[in-house]
Amino acid sequence: MKIAVILGTRPEIIKMSPVIRELEKKQENYFILHTGQHYSYNLDRVFFEQLKLPQAKHNLEVGSGSHAQQTAKILIGVEEVLQDDTPDVILVEGDTNSVFAGALAATKLHIKVGHVEAGLRSYDRNMPEEINRILTDHCSDYLFAPTEKAKTILLGEGISENKIFVTGNTIVDAVHQNLEIAKAQGNTLSSLNLAPAKYFLVTLHRQENVDDPRRFASILKGLDKVAAEFRIPTVYPVHPHSLRRMKEFGLKPENITLIEPISFLDFLQLESNARLIFTDSGGVQEEACILGVPCVTLRDNTERPETLEVGSNILAGALPDKILSCAGLMLNKENKWSNPFGDGRAGQRIVKTITEGN
Ligand code: UD1
Ligand code: UDP
């Protein structure tokens, strides 16, 4: 059996790393097809180097563009590679344009599609990721649901049960595989002059937050208020898309330290030692929950409701006073929840399912 792992962005590289490691360990016949959606060193290569992943065999180098341009370029490029390199099954992870275009190209060629992290829904169709998730799930032959809740959602959409496999989320594998290494490396905090549990960590990059000048300004104002109220440093590794928008809109947060996006091991150190995390990222909501750090989500909804249920996360939206009050609530939270995203063996289950059958 020949397997193609199709990926294109930071979270896909991180969340596919346990699957790739398992494919290597089992000496499976596979290759990596990188779409090139992310191409800056600190959104792409740094993760291959740090997580010691094999090079992509193919890189489409599609780069940035409008949704249609980017999706179309990936679709055309993936089709060419799959016609030439003929895998039996492709694997995609998550909800980006690379994921949907990869899945669509493969299914039209009658190549089986495995979707890692299937069944997530925010029920907000303004988010490009929601469209990508729904369409990818409905193109897929193997739906690797991270939780029972995700499986229930898929069943509710008429997907047959024999295609759905509850595996846990590969982010648990990635955190377990890398946290000790990150801790041993241990210089990220000191290089930023931060002390454990005495700083806030922010990530914010989603289109619906940063492309709207008023909403982006409102969130930054809320974070500024939080930093001023609790008088501890706030650090924000800024995605290049957000930085571009900040400059374009003339936004200059006063109490927040902006830094470049950082490597996964550095980021794990910052997350695991933070007093509180503010984010609109899917992966960061999960990691905060896994690491036992309370999280304030700067969105009106989440496709990770398990984090709300266990109490690790709260939805704050974009209004400054709400962000401040949610921060106050989460600072008083006892972080005694248990991780709902699995036991860290999702990668093994995914590879076993596609190579050995159900
Ligand atoms: C994409 C995903 C989003 C995911 C995020 C992970 C879609 C629709 N969005 O958003 O779901 O959470 O990746 O980080 O697929 N840029 C660079 N260097 C890069 C890549 C992008 O500077 O390597 C800048 C460019 O200005 C580009 C902008 O970021 O226009 C947006 O990039 P894009 O890939 O379209 O979306 P992301 O915001 O990264
Ligand atoms: N991350 C990282 N460096 C950073 C910010 C985030 O390595 O500076 C990692 C983080 O640990 C998580 C992933 O990037 O695993 C989340 O990616 P992102 O927020 O870009 O995408 P999303 O999860 O929202 O799709």
Side-chain angles (χ1 to χ4, degrees):
M1 165 175 287
K2 183 152 74 164
I3 301 160
V5 174
I6 303 181
L7 45 73
T9 69
R10 168 169 74 185
E12 293 157 65
I13 303 166
I14 293 169
K15 285 181 166 176
M16 273 300 194
S17 65
V19 174
I20 295 170
R21 283 181 176 162
E22 185 66 13
L23 290 167
E24 284 280 323
K25 196 172 130 198
K26 291 277 189 73
Q27 298 185 321
E28 295 292 343
N29 179 15
Y30 83 100
F31 64 88
I32 300 174
L33 164 50
H34 195 318
T35 66
Q37 177 171 345
H38 281 181
Y39 45 86
S40 298
Y41 175 77
N42 54 15
L43 291 188
D44 173 23
R45 280 241 54 85
V46 66
F47 301 107
F48 280 87
E49 289 170 10
Q50 193 170 63
L51 302 176
K52 298 188 173 55
L53 302 176
Q55 295 254 5
K57 184 174 177 193
H58 308 272
N59 191 322
L60 304 177
E61 297 182 356
V62 300
S64 307
S66 71
H67 281 278
Q69 284 167 347
Q70 193 176 56
T71 307
K73 279 190 198 163
I74 299 169
L75 199 50
I76 294 166
V78 170
E79 183 183 66
E80 276 170 15
V81 172
L82 298 186
Q83 278 174 326
D84 196 42
D85 215 336
T86 61
D88 301 289
V89 54
I90 69 113
L91 288 174
V92 285
E93 187 287 329
D95 52 21
T96 67
N97 289 343
S98 294
V99 171
F100 168 54
L104 183 59
T107 198
K108 289 281 184 81
L109 292 170
H110 310 296
I111 296 169
K112 297 255 183 269
V113 175
H115 186 202
V116 178
E117 208 177 65
L120 273 59
R121 297 291 181 269
S122 66
Y123 301 104
D124 177 357
R125 287 200 181 213
N126 289 319
M127 297 175 66
E129 292 84 5
E130 182 74 355
I131 309 294
N132 290 336
R133 283 181 203 117
I134 296 169
L135 296 172
T136 304
D137 281 340
H138 287 263
C139 286
S140 294
D141 303 280
Y142 299 94
L143 293 101
F144 298 111
T147 62
E148 286 295 334
K149 191 175 269 297
K151 176 177 176 175
T152 307
I153 289 173
L154 294 169
L155 291 172
E157 291 182 11
I159 291 174
S160 64
E161 189 162 12
N162 62 9
K163 289 185 180 177
I164 306 170
F165 306 88
V166 179
T167 57
N169 194 309
T170 58
I171 196 62
V172 182
D173 313 26
V175 169
H176 288 181
Q177 288 169 13
N178 295 294
L179 188 60
E180 291 312 312
I181 307 172
K183 281 184 182 160
Q185 183 182 278
N187 54 7
T188 319
L189 266 65
S190 53
S191 71
L192 290 165
N193 266 327
L194 299 171
K198 294 215 169 77
Y199 63 92
F200 297 141
L201 175 65
V202 174
T203 81
L204 187 68
H205 72 283
R206 288 300 179 95
Q207 183 181 303
E208 67 277 11
N209 278 337
V210 305
D211 283 1
D212 175 342
R214 278 195 301 182
R215 192 169 167 101
F216 197 7
S218 175
I219 295 175
L220 291 178
K221 194 172 164 199
L223 294 171
D224 260 340
K225 269 190 160 194
V226 170
E229 172 83 15
F230 297 102
R231 293 166 186 271
I232 67 171
T234 300
V235 60
Y236 174 10
V238 192
H239 188 294
H241 181 59
S242 311
L243 190 63
R244 189 156 60 87
R245 291 300 190 213
M246 238 184 244
K247 287 184 180 154
E248 198 180 316
F249 304 150
L251 301 173
K252 291 193 182 86
E254 285 167 26
N255 305 319
I256 302 173
T257 305
L258 307 181
I259 60 171
E260 296 264 318
I262 53 179
S263 73
F264 186 51
L265 294 186
D266 287 336
F267 194 72
L268 273 179
Q269 277 190 59
L270 280 193
E271 280 184 306
S272 55
N273 288 295
R275 181 70 186 85
L276 201 56
I277 296 175
F278 297 82
T279 194
D280 61 359
S281 158
V284 176
Q285 289 175 64
E286 292 160 352
E287 286 163 356
C289 180
I290 296 161
L291 293 165
V293 179
C295 181
V296 175
T297 291
L298 304 161
R299 288 175 40 187
D300 302 313
N301 52 55
T302 179
E303 57 293 318
R304 273 89 178 170
E306 296 86 352
T307 59
L308 302 178
E309 277 156 26
V310 300
S312 68
N313 191 12
I314 192 167
L315 292 176
L319 296 175
D321 288 340
K322 183 81 190 287
I323 294 171
L324 184 60
S325 65
C326 286
L329 280 174
M330 292 312 279
L331 280 169
N332 288 320
K333 198 98 207 164
E334 268 197 88
N335 53 352
K336 284 198 173 143
W337 57 82
S338 47
N339 153 37
F341 294 115
D343 60 1
R345 292 190 295 136
Q348 283 174 32
R349 293 191 186 95
I350 290 163
V351 171
K352 193 168 181 339
T353 304
I354 53 174
T355 55
E356 293 176 20
N358 308 348

